[in-house]
Amino acid sequence: MQAEDATPLIPGQTKLVKAKTRRGKRYLESRAPKATEDAKRVLFLYGNQTSQVVKDVLTDLYQLKRLEAQKFTRKNENVRPFESGGETSLEFYCNRNNCPLFVLGSHSKKRPHNIVIGRMFDFHLYDALEMGVEELKAIRDFGAAGTRAQLGNKPCIVFVGEKFESVPAMALAKSLLLDMFRGEPVDKINLAGVDRVVMAVAMDDARLQLRQYSVRFKKSGTRIPRVALMEMGPRIIFSVRRYRLPPSDLQQEAMKQPKLGKKKEKNVASDSLAGKVGRIYMPKQNMDTLGLSKYKGTKRQRRESAREAAEARKQPKVAQLVAEGASTE
């Protein structure tokens, strides 16, 4: 049974989950917040009504993210990200499948061939962008060129047009596409492994074109090969419709960065010879009341002085008894 058949959680319900096994502990740690995020998983699902164009778009996008995606095949009537209360089921599905990104496909007379791309923060709806499919050329229409790229390789992502910086909807589209295609974070990249290029072109304020090319290395007569691009699909022209930006307080919370590195210790330094060197501040010491270790000789002197003090206390009592006896006579 797929996750869309399950009933969503009650809004406001909280439940503390504790791991009972080592495997469960590793699973919870993998879903915990991290300073460097992993590649975001994408949930592909359909709305109440769909068209063949929408199915082809979701199939091609899922093929590009197959290793980091989950796809539903049934209809979902209650998933409406732009309506009040319509995001409850969507948040439940994303939480159940550990997918902070989602792509929703639907079709209606008012909004034909509709695609909604959105993100989650703490598995609550963060932002969303609604686009319509105007033109589509699927991967299968490009023949063998659509199968040259290897799954799992990081693509080169190119954004063409200043609209991606000045228009809010296009800036949101750029951010969403980067999150979708960036893959796993790495420190170094082998250029021989960059086998495809994802290009997004801002045609105007409300239209963008998405294309994908495969990278071919051909002979150039030198040690450096000649790089050629061959379109491999999909080729999609989107028209931007509605978009939903995150609230300022939620955005501020989502943009928080943890403080990396160790906390600085006061009065502690490091030395190449002695290693860790510290400075200690001690209050003034009173040697009379200071508890120190006692040696045997010191203990013997204390016993003798205590014996002499006891004898000195007894002598006045003996003299007093002698005086009392003389007075009685």
Side-chain angles (χ1 to χ4, degrees):
M1 183 180 294
Q2 292 187 349
E4 59 259 47
D5 295 336
T7 56
L9 295 175
I10 302 174
Q13 181 179 359
T14 58
K15 182 180 179 181
L16 182 61
V17 180
K18 292 184 179 180
K20 298 181 179 179
T21 60
R22 293 183 179 180
R23 182 179 179 183
K25 185 178 181 180
R26 291 195 301 266
Y27 175 74
L28 293 179
E29 289 178 353
S30 65
R31 300 188 62 172
K34 301 179 181 62
T36 303
E37 294 184 348
D38 301 331
K40 293 187 176 181
R41 289 173 50 84
V42 186
L43 177 64
F44 294 89
L45 69 165
Y46 299 110
N48 188 20
Q49 295 181 355
T50 56
S51 62
Q52 188 60 39
V53 174
V54 171
K55 292 181 179 179
D56 292 342
V57 171
L58 263 64
T59 300
D60 288 353
L61 294 179
Y62 174 70
Q63 186 172 348
L64 301 180
K65 289 283 294 182
R66 188 185 306 171
L67 299 179
E68 302 154 357
Q70 176 69 36
K71 186 179 180 182
F72 290 171
T73 56
R74 302 180 183 178
K75 297 180 180 179
N76 302 274
E77 300 180 359
N78 299 324
V79 178
R80 298 181 180 89
F82 290 93
E83 297 182 9
S84 178
E87 71 277 2
T88 305
S89 299
L90 182 61
E91 291 173 354
F92 172 75
Y93 298 151
C94 291
N95 189 7
R96 186 71 175 272
N97 295 274
N98 192 22
C99 295
L101 268 171
F102 69 90
V103 179
L104 173 65
S106 61
H107 176 72
S108 63
K109 185 177 180 180
K110 186 177 181 180
R111 295 183 178 86
H113 313 308
N114 200 45
I115 300 292
V116 180
I117 305 176
R119 284 179 290 201
M120 297 283 172
F121 173 69
D122 197 16
F123 294 107
H124 294 286
L125 185 60
Y126 181 73
D127 55 8
L129 175 67
E130 185 181 69
M131 299 182 294
V133 181
E134 293 186 356
E135 296 182 13
L136 170 65
K137 188 174 181 180
I139 295 178
R140 64 174 180 269
D141 298 333
F142 289 89
T147 60
R148 296 186 183 276
Q150 296 181 5
L151 290 176
N153 289 357
K154 291 180 69 67
C156 176
I157 308 175
V158 181
F159 292 91
V160 181
E162 55 90 20
K163 302 295 183 182
F164 287 113
E165 305 296 335
S166 57
V167 180
M170 302 297 284
L172 179 59
K174 177 182 178 180
S175 179
L176 290 170
L177 292 176
L178 277 175
D179 273 355
M180 181 178 295
F181 294 114
R182 69 180 177 88
E184 291 286 348
V186 294
D187 297 331
K188 298 180 181 179
I189 296 178
N190 185 5
L191 295 179
V194 181
D195 56 0
R196 59 193 177 100
V197 177
V198 178
M199 178 177 291
V201 181
M203 305 175 67
D204 51 40
D205 291 353
R207 295 173 70 241
L208 66 92
Q209 186 182 58
L210 185 66
R211 289 189 176 191
Q212 185 176 213
Y213 299 88
S214 62
V215 179
R216 304 291 304 276
F217 298 100
K218 298 186 177 181
K219 296 181 179 180
S220 63
T222 62
R223 295 182 59 185
I224 302 176
R226 181 172 61 89
V227 179
L229 299 180
M230 180 180 295
E231 190 171 3
M232 56 177 290
R235 183 195 303 170
I236 312 173
I237 297 180
F238 291 108
S239 61
V240 178
R241 293 171 179 171
R242 295 181 293 177
Y243 63 93
R244 171 176 174 173
L245 297 177
S248 58
D249 55 345
L250 184 61
Q251 185 178 11
Q252 184 177 4
E253 184 180 358
M255 294 297 178
K256 285 183 179 179
Q257 291 289 338
K259 294 182 180 180
L260 301 178
K262 296 182 179 179
K263 187 178 180 181
K264 185 178 179 181
E265 297 182 72
K266 295 182 179 180
N267 303 321
V268 175
S270 59
D271 190 359
S272 59
L273 297 178
K276 190 174 182 181
V277 180
R279 182 181 298 176
I280 301 175
Y281 293 90
M282 296 291 294
K284 186 177 180 180
Q285 302 294 323
N286 187 359
M287 303 303 295
D288 296 335
T289 59
L290 187 64
L292 300 175
S293 59
K294 304 297 188 296
Y295 298 96
K296 292 183 177 180
T298 307
K299 295 181 180 179
R300 189 181 303 111
Q301 292 177 1
R302 291 179 59 187
R303 289 197 297 268
E304 292 177 357
S305 60
R307 189 181 303 109
E308 292 176 359
E311 291 177 356
R313 286 194 300 269
K314 291 180 180 178
Q315 289 179 0
K317 293 183 178 180
V318 173
Q320 183 179 1
L321 292 175
V322 172
E324 291 179 355
S327 61
T328 54
E329 291 177 358

